[in-house]
Amino acid sequence: MVGLDQTAAIPPGNSHGQGSLASIGEKKSSKKSRARRGKQGRKRRNKRKRNNRTPPPILPPEAEEGNIEYKFLDLRVAVLGNVDSGKSTLLGVLTQGELDNGRGRARLNLFRHLHEIQTGRTSSISFEILGFNSKGEVVNYSESRTSEEICENSSKMITFIDLAGHHKYLKTTVFGLTSYCPDFAMLVVSANTGIAGTTREHLGLAMALKVPIFIVVSKVDLCSHGTVDRTVRQLERVLKQPGCNKVPMLVLNSDDAVTAAQQFAQSACITPIFTLSSVSGESLNFLKVFLNILPPLSKSKEQEDLMQQLTEFQVDEIYSVPDVGTVVGGTLYSGVCREGERLVVGPTEEGRFLRLKVGSIQRNRSACRVLKAGQAASLALGNFDRSLLRKGMVMVSPKMNPTICCQFEAAIVLLFHAKTFRRGSQVTVHIGNVRQTATVEYLHGKDELRTGERAIVRFRFIKHPEYLRLSAKLLFREGVTKGIGHVTHLVPHDQNLPDY
């Protein structure tokens, strides 16, 4: 690592010898001692000088290509559930290694804003990590002081994406599901309230986006066994309904957890259900066993194919960091991104792409040099003007000729609408990291659409063009209106002139 100052060990002086030899030895020893103290003093002064220097505008690189964490399994789990179901508290217990005190102490380290601490409710997207070593033991902040240590001591990483439960922040939750491409979703349900609030909606969103889901029934310490059983039966009934067609699997011991992890990865129909407490720790180990054994869904061949494609990085977050400059967070959809690589970012409101250079890369708060397809990270862009960036942009290879559009067509199914869905309707469209209001231009072969019906629909973005991919999953909503589908056709933007 750059910045570490290693000093050579100095052997102690001899104390053997007698008479005049001893006095000569003492003189030589005192001279050596003074020289040694002077040398060490100079080293300490030089080290202080180095430490007082202004830090570089980029993060220090690792000595090898990529941090040690990139040779590990890495899974992303989106955390869903109604407000006050105990999502953040459960994550705090898992990642911090300490049980909750019953008043939400475990969740405090997860909150990003003052109002979240005051209300106890998540309003933004946050990320927490949990590691497992080669023996299957948990690696978290209880024994590791930094995320870097967690990564270095783990052979498997779980990145939890903590999403908002309140209906007021639904757009943030949808963005987290569509943009961060989670491998799995964990739906947290409070045992004492059961299926309430946004629980059904979150379950429907995960299923619409085809994200495999498992369920955690929390707060069992507050309820009788009868209440817990009633909540579990309620969940089983919902999962078995024709719209879901799931096979619930209640996990009661470690063997069940192993079986659930294996079957869950093999079949999308299986839905494991855990009942636990973040206060007493009851059955918490079963969830840890499940997470440790849970394999990735994507195959290594698919990963290799994506890595062979040109670089495409989705911009999900934008920051300004002192002494670093502009930083963007997001997911690398395809290719490989290296420190110092030159890319183009866009589209701007005029439909153009701008040149930039990747200064440094951080993943799980640890510095690295190489980012591979499917991995999420933060990229430092130095003095690039932050005002030119927005969520929904992409950073791509200059060799790519990206197709951007203001209009596109999609095959959709209307999940719910209070009245009818017709030309002129306006909805908020979510496609990957793109979130923008769009107008329905027309429906192919139909004048209007009712709940449950399908159609090919042309949409027009009302603000600016976007970069889209064919076959990308689409989710749209407006009030109680909800629909899903996939992109079938792109209408190229008139001013698709890259600025490079």
Side-chain angles (χ1 to χ4, degrees):
M1 289 284 292
V2 174
L4 292 181
D5 183 38
Q6 298 180 347
T7 54
I10 302 174
N14 289 332
S15 59
H16 303 290
Q18 299 173 356
S20 61
L21 290 175
S23 62
I24 293 172
E26 286 175 4
K27 289 178 181 179
K28 288 183 178 180
S29 176
S30 63
K31 287 181 180 179
K32 287 182 180 178
S33 178
R34 285 195 298 273
R36 183 164 63 246
R37 286 196 298 270
K39 187 176 181 181
Q40 289 176 338
R42 286 194 299 275
K43 285 189 176 182
R44 283 195 296 270
R45 287 194 294 273
N46 291 336
K47 187 174 181 180
R48 282 196 294 268
K49 288 179 182 178
R50 285 195 296 271
N51 290 339
N52 290 332
R53 289 175 186 169
T54 304
I58 60 175
L59 299 166
E62 293 295 319
E64 62 177 44
E65 183 164 290
N67 203 352
I68 189 169
E69 68 191 273
Y70 300 111
K71 308 171 185 67
F72 301 145
L73 293 176
D74 191 359
L75 303 181
R76 286 193 294 274
V77 178
V79 185
L80 303 171
N82 188 40
V83 64
D84 299 330
S85 61
K87 300 186 298 299
S88 299
T89 299
L90 174 59
L91 290 190
V93 170
L94 288 172
T95 60
Q96 304 297 321
E98 292 184 6
L99 294 175
D100 188 53
N101 63 350
R103 296 186 295 275
R105 181 180 63 188
R107 68 190 177 194
L108 293 179
N109 290 328
L110 277 64
F111 290 147
R112 299 174 62 185
H113 304 289
L114 178 61
H115 69 266
E116 292 181 330
I117 297 174
Q118 293 170 338
T119 62
R121 295 177 175 178
T122 302
S123 64
S124 59
I125 300 173
S126 62
F127 300 86
E128 299 299 325
I129 58 173
L130 174 68
F132 293 93
N133 61 22
S134 57
K135 298 178 181 179
E137 299 168 338
V138 170
V139 181
N140 55 24
Y141 287 107
S142 63
E143 296 181 355
S144 305
R145 288 179 294 177
T146 65
S147 57
E148 222 171 7
E149 288 184 21
I150 294 176
C151 295
E152 289 173 358
N153 297 327
S154 302
S155 57
K156 179 179 182 179
M157 295 292 300
I158 306 287
T159 301
F160 292 106
I161 308 169
D162 190 15
L163 302 175
H166 199 284
H167 192 274
K168 181 168 65 173
Y169 307 115
L170 181 62
K171 66 177 183 180
T172 302
T173 300
V174 174
F175 181 80
L177 279 173
T178 57
S179 179
Y180 291 104
C181 307
D183 299 292
F184 305 99
M186 178 171 72
L187 179 67
V188 182
V189 179
S190 176
N192 57 348
T193 58
I195 298 177
T198 57
T199 303
R200 288 179 185 270
E201 196 159 21
H202 286 188
L203 175 62
L205 287 171
M207 292 181 59
L209 295 169
K210 297 182 179 179
V211 180
I213 192 165
F214 61 94
I215 298 175
V216 172
V217 178
S218 64
K219 302 185 180 181
V220 298
D221 56 294
L222 299 179
C223 311
S224 64
H225 290 295
T227 303
V228 176
D229 291 340
R230 190 160 54 247
T231 299
V232 171
R233 287 196 301 271
Q234 184 187 22
L235 285 165
E236 290 175 338
R237 283 196 300 272
V238 170
L239 292 170
K240 291 177 181 177
Q241 287 176 354
C244 292
N245 294 320
K246 297 288 187 181
V247 180
M249 182 178 181
L250 186 60
V251 177
L252 298 175
N253 51 53
S254 296
D255 291 338
D256 288 348
V258 173
T259 305
Q262 293 170 343
Q263 295 187 4
F264 182 55
Q266 294 171 0
S267 173
C269 296
I270 302 296
T271 303
I273 301 177
F274 300 83
T275 58
L276 53 82
S277 168
S278 297
V279 175
S280 67
E282 179 184 342
S283 302
L284 193 63
N285 280 337
F286 304 156
L287 179 60
K288 294 176 182 177
V289 170
F290 175 80
L291 293 172
N292 176 45
I293 296 176
L294 192 62
L297 289 180
S298 58
K299 299 178 181 178
S300 57
K301 180 66 169 63
E302 296 174 359
Q303 182 80 359
E304 289 174 7
D305 290 343
L306 283 172
M307 287 173 57
Q308 298 304 316
Q309 298 177 19
L310 293 174
T311 302
E312 180 184 324
F313 182 86
Q314 299 178 348
V315 177
D316 300 328
E317 301 285 346
I318 305 166
Y319 315 96
S320 292
V321 180
D323 300 323
V324 175
T326 302
V327 175
V328 295
T331 305
L332 187 66
Y333 176 78
S334 63
V336 174
C337 183
R338 291 181 171 82
E339 203 175 63
E341 188 162 355
R342 296 188 182 275
L343 303 173
V344 292
V345 63
T348 62
E349 292 188 0
E350 298 78 24
R352 296 180 177 274
F353 281 74
L354 308 172
R355 300 176 189 172
L356 55 76
K357 180 182 178 182
V358 177
S360 62
I361 305 173
Q362 268 205 355
R363 189 154 183 269
N364 289 333
R365 307 184 187 100
S366 302
C368 71
R369 287 187 175 182
V370 179
L371 188 66
K372 299 176 183 178
Q375 296 179 335
S378 297
L379 311 183
L381 305 181
N383 59 358
F384 190 88
D385 189 354
R386 176 181 174 174
S387 65
L388 298 175
L389 299 172
R390 61 174 173 80
K391 293 181 182 180
M393 282 184 163
V394 289
M395 293 164 50
V396 297
S397 167
K399 298 177 183 178
M400 186 184 291
N401 184 24
T403 301
I404 63 172
C405 61
C406 279
Q407 296 186 61
F408 68 95
E409 293 181 359
I412 69 161
V413 56
L414 193 62
L415 298 178
F416 182 79
H417 196 288
K419 297 179 182 178
T420 55
F421 184 77
R422 56 166 62 94
R423 180 180 180 181
S425 299
Q426 285 195 345
V427 293
T428 302
V429 173
H430 297 262
I431 308 173
N433 65 332
V434 170
R435 181 178 67 194
Q436 190 181 152
T437 303
T439 302
V440 176
E441 289 292 294
Y442 59 82
L443 290 78
H444 286 276
K446 295 186 178 181
D447 295 325
E448 59 185 27
L449 211 59
R450 297 183 182 275
T451 300
E453 294 184 341
R454 299 172 181 268
I456 302 293
V457 179
R458 174 167 289 198
F459 293 94
R460 176 191 288 272
F461 290 122
I462 67 169
K463 290 185 179 178
H464 43 70
E466 300 281 11
Y467 169 78
L468 302 179
R469 290 187 303 272
L470 286 172
S471 301
K473 294 176 184 176
L474 171 146
L475 188 147
F476 61 89
R477 61 177 181 83
E478 187 59 41
V480 295
T481 301
K482 294 179 185 67
I484 58 171
H486 64 276
V487 177
T488 58
H489 177 64
L490 304 176
V491 181
H493 185 52
D494 292 336
Q495 300 178 356
N496 187 18
L497 300 174
D499 189 24
Y500 56 88

